[in-house]
Amino acid sequence: MKVLILGGTTEGRALAAALDRVRDIDTVTSLAGRVAQPMLPVGQTRIGGFGGPAALAVWLRDNAIDVVVDATHPFASTIGAHAAHATEATGVALLVLTRPPWAEGEGDRWTSVPSLPDAAAAITPGSRVFLTTGRQGVHHFASVDHSWFLVRAIDPPTDRVPPHMTLQLSRGPFDIDHESKVLADNRIDLLITKNSGGDMTRAKLDAARAASISVLMIARPEAPTSAPIVYEVDTAVDWLANRLRVC
């Protein structure tokens, strides 16, 4: 069985490594190419977009793909929709491997907003903002001239940025001690993040709770498919192994 993993995430890399140990399953992991130096998974990889759902469908046929696993970031809705359309058109099976969303707990001070522009509009003037939504969304805050931003990203933004901003280039995971120091050293009073879920970047939320810092949480978009969804790599491996036995 040949599996295309739409990856670029911790889960995608873990799945590629796990399937590398399974007989009769060959994988290729596709990375979007938006990060200059991506962390490469085990096995065969391809980097770059497919050119839309029709082109992806052609690629699936040409490469005799049996199953697509969408293990992209929970906010990568475009490639998720393309995968849904392409697999439906070709009859290729689709499985979604994603992280369960974070849930607000006791002591959290979250406000949920539906989008990055809504988050920008909700910032109280004079705020000191820790913005951790990735470089591609920073331009939505470019017109916010009444607050200061600490922007953390892996690569520098290529579009407009807020006029009062410090850029911090780094790659997680980060622990709570690191995140607490970032919040304190920069006198942060507002954290803006996406509801990505998972443990890799959760420490900033724990640090914000400990410091009673408000959070603007960007709500996760609805999954663009009715395909089965799993939250654990082991569950995805079992699903694929069972499908292999049926085939």
Side-chain angles (χ1 to χ4, degrees):
M1 185 167 68
K2 194 166 183 182
V3 178
L4 171 66
I5 302 172
L6 302 175
T9 58
T10 302
E11 293 79 13
R13 290 188 294 273
L15 179 61
L19 292 179
D20 190 57
R21 300 187 292 270
V22 179
R23 283 188 58 189
D24 298 325
I25 295 183
D26 296 324
T27 65
V28 55
T29 299
S30 178
L31 307 177
R34 292 173 179 166
V35 176
Q37 295 182 319
M39 298 176 66
L40 296 178
V42 173
Q44 183 181 352
T45 60
R46 69 174 300 280
I47 297 178
F50 291 94
L56 174 56
V58 171
W59 194 94
L60 296 178
R61 292 192 187 99
D62 289 349
N63 289 272
I65 298 297
D66 298 296
V67 180
V68 174
V69 179
D70 179 4
T72 56
H73 191 277
F75 282 77
S77 55
T78 298
I79 184 60
H82 289 180
H85 288 300
T87 52
E88 183 177 357
T90 57
V92 172
L94 175 63
L95 177 69
V96 177
L97 169 61
T98 192
R99 313 161 194 169
W102 293 314
E104 187 174 7
E106 184 178 354
D108 287 322
R109 299 176 58 194
W110 294 7
T111 299
S112 181
V113 291
S115 69
L116 291 170
D118 289 300
I123 296 172
T124 302
S127 296
R128 294 183 64 84
V129 181
F130 187 21
L131 182 62
T132 65
T133 56
R135 69 184 179 95
Q136 291 186 307
V138 175
H139 66 278
H140 291 292
F141 301 86
S143 62
V144 181
D145 59 2
H146 54 61
S147 296
W148 178 86
F149 290 81
L150 174 64
V151 175
R152 184 163 72 193
I154 296 174
D155 293 319
T158 56
D159 208 331
R160 298 179 304 135
V161 299
H164 311 296
M165 182 196 83
T166 295
L167 179 63
Q168 182 186 88
L169 296 180
S170 57
R171 187 197 300 263
F174 308 102
D175 61 28
I176 188 170
D177 290 337
H178 176 277
E179 299 295 65
S180 295
K181 188 174 188 304
V182 169
L183 297 177
D185 288 353
N186 293 279
R187 295 180 288 115
I188 299 298
D189 53 35
L190 178 64
L191 168 66
I192 301 179
T193 192
K194 295 176 178 178
N195 195 340
S196 303
D199 296 328
M200 188 171 179
T201 60
R202 184 182 175 85
K204 62 192 173 188
L205 297 173
D206 297 332
R209 181 195 306 120
S212 295
I213 290 173
S214 297
V215 177
L216 284 178
M217 182 67 72
I218 315 298
R220 184 180 293 196
E222 292 290 332
T225 176
S226 59
I229 298 174
V230 296
Y231 294 115
E232 300 291 340
V233 170
D234 289 346
T235 308
V237 173
D238 290 344
W239 189 93
L240 291 164
N242 287 335
R243 189 171 185 87
L244 176 63
R245 284 192 287 271
V246 170
C247 294

